[in-house]
Amino acid sequence: MSASIPQILDGKALAQKIQLELKEKVATLESKIGRPPGLAVLMVGDNPASAVYVRNKERACQKVGIASLGKHFPGDATQAELAETIKELNQDDRVDGILVQLPLPEHLDSISLLHCIHPDKDADGLHQVNLGKLVRSESGLRSCTPAGVMRLLQEYHIPISGKKAVVIGRSILVGKPVALMLLEQNATVTMAHSRTENLGAVCREADILVAAVGKPEMITRDLVKPGAVVIDVGINRVEGKEGKSKLVGDVAFEEVAEIASYITPVPGGIGPMTVAMLLSNTVESYRQFNTPDVD
């Protein structure tokens, strides 16, 4: 027996609402601080997907009133060049947030570059200091995609405390931080991954199921408990009809939507929320370190 029609968790609409709120906040702060907030996105090479993401981020910055201070490097840029640029941006008073667009070309070490970013300007929330603050439940800049997941759950008043949450995927970008954020909200959290035995049984226990594995439509109806809240973090480009590519998530949307109580679409779910949280982190850094009367 199928559940009633699920409610779509509309990340696109919420992201637009957040952008309007940030625009008002920036206008108020800019009159006191005397400059707009600044975000520097560093991109290396010509990865088409990365180019789209960077353009989207720059457009979103423009809407909110954040200055885009990014730099585009050729594909053969060296580790030393990038590290030096990050060092300069750390000391640049116009810059409140720094982001290295991943993935980087194979000859570059992304982890050491992320560590070069000052924790207070870590717009992506991936520096070990900020991840450590998350582990300790201390305030700090949070990883954008997991923070977007939590903000979307909050917007739709979805109860988390006491619920069973299963996170599929254990990356430092999404899986681990979103598990910690759910735990912080008193969920009972299970992390599943490629080595999990009897994955179906684990997933079917979930009141809240977060899919972050990067495998197109891996989560099928038989892996989902009827009435579960399903959060699809995956963005996979696959070939559709007539050879045209299309975006799909990690969840087989049509069939899972028949039994879920809430579900995120792809596109239009977590993707826009990630960008909204990036802008939010940048504005928060701008506010915190430029207004002396903050809490």
Side-chain angles (χ1 to χ4, degrees):
M1 189 175 76
S2 67
S4 58
I5 296 169
Q7 190 162 351
I8 301 296
L9 298 172
D10 190 341
K12 189 175 180 182
L14 177 55
Q16 288 169 347
K17 175 183 166 182
I18 291 167
Q19 285 182 15
L20 283 172
E21 291 168 357
L22 291 173
K23 186 177 181 178
E24 289 176 14
K25 190 183 276 191
V26 167
T28 304
L29 288 169
E30 193 175 345
S31 63
K32 296 176 187 172
I33 295 168
R35 67 166 180 86
L39 174 65
V41 179
L42 306 185
M43 182 176 155
V44 183
D46 297 303
N47 180 310
S50 292
V52 170
Y53 293 144
V54 170
R55 271 200 306 276
N56 287 344
K57 286 165 185 170
E58 287 172 348
R59 280 196 204 110
C61 282
Q62 197 174 1
K63 284 181 190 170
V64 170
I66 295 173
S68 286
L69 304 167
K71 295 175 184 283
H72 188 173
F73 294 85
D76 59 357
T78 66
Q79 188 85 7
E81 275 179 87
L82 287 158
E84 183 59 34
T85 298
I86 292 170
K87 187 178 172 184
E88 288 167 7
L89 292 169
N90 282 337
Q91 295 165 351
D92 189 334
D93 291 339
R94 300 169 304 154
V95 176
D96 302 284
I98 304 168
L99 179 150
V100 176
Q101 182 65 45
L102 303 175
L104 291 171
E106 285 185 6
H107 70 280
L108 296 170
D109 178 0
S110 60
I111 293 172
S112 70
L113 288 173
L114 292 173
H115 290 174
C116 290
I117 297 170
H118 193 286
D120 294 342
K121 294 191 177 188
D122 172 31
D124 237 355
L126 295 175
H127 192 282
Q128 70 261 47
V129 167
N130 288 319
L131 288 169
K133 285 180 175 179
L134 171 60
V135 171
R136 294 173 61 91
S137 294
E138 295 174 4
S139 63
L141 295 171
R142 297 292 191 240
S143 309
C144 298
T145 300
V149 169
M150 300 305 292
R151 180 70 180 79
L152 198 54
L153 291 171
Q154 178 192 345
E155 181 71 10
Y156 283 82
H157 305 290
I158 292 169
I160 298 172
S161 183
K163 300 296 181 183
K164 287 186 178 178
V166 173
V167 178
I168 313 168
R170 51 183 167 177
S171 75
I172 202 70
L173 284 170
V174 182
K176 287 176 182 172
V178 83
L180 286 164
M181 290 178 192
L182 287 162
L183 192 60
E184 200 171 43
Q185 295 297 316
N186 301 313
T188 300
V189 182
T190 300
M191 292 197 74
H193 44 78
S194 58
R195 304 285 179 87
T196 299
E197 291 185 4
N198 204 349
L199 180 66
V202 173
C203 291
R204 282 189 293 274
E205 292 224 318
D207 302 308
I208 300 169
L209 184 64
V210 181
V213 282
K215 292 187 179 175
E217 301 182 329
M218 172 189 158
I219 307 303
T220 50
R221 179 183 174 130
D222 61 316
L223 296 179
V224 179
K225 178 168 89 171
V229 176
V230 180
I231 305 291
D232 190 350
V233 182
I235 299 179
N236 310 287
R237 194 171 288 279
V238 299
E239 197 169 296
K241 292 173 184 174
E242 299 168 8
K244 291 181 181 175
S245 68
K246 64 171 185 172
L247 291 177
V248 299
D250 290 349
V251 175
F253 181 87
E254 299 296 338
E255 59 182 81
V256 172
E258 291 178 357
I259 61 166
S261 59
Y262 292 86
I263 190 167
T264 56
V266 176
I270 299 303
M273 290 303 300
T274 298
V275 177
M277 293 298 103
L278 170 67
L279 303 179
S280 185
N281 277 348
T282 303
V283 172
E284 179 55 26
S285 289
Y286 169 70
R287 182 194 70 82
Q288 197 168 348
F289 298 101
N290 290 284
T291 49
D293 55 344
V294 294
D295 297 333

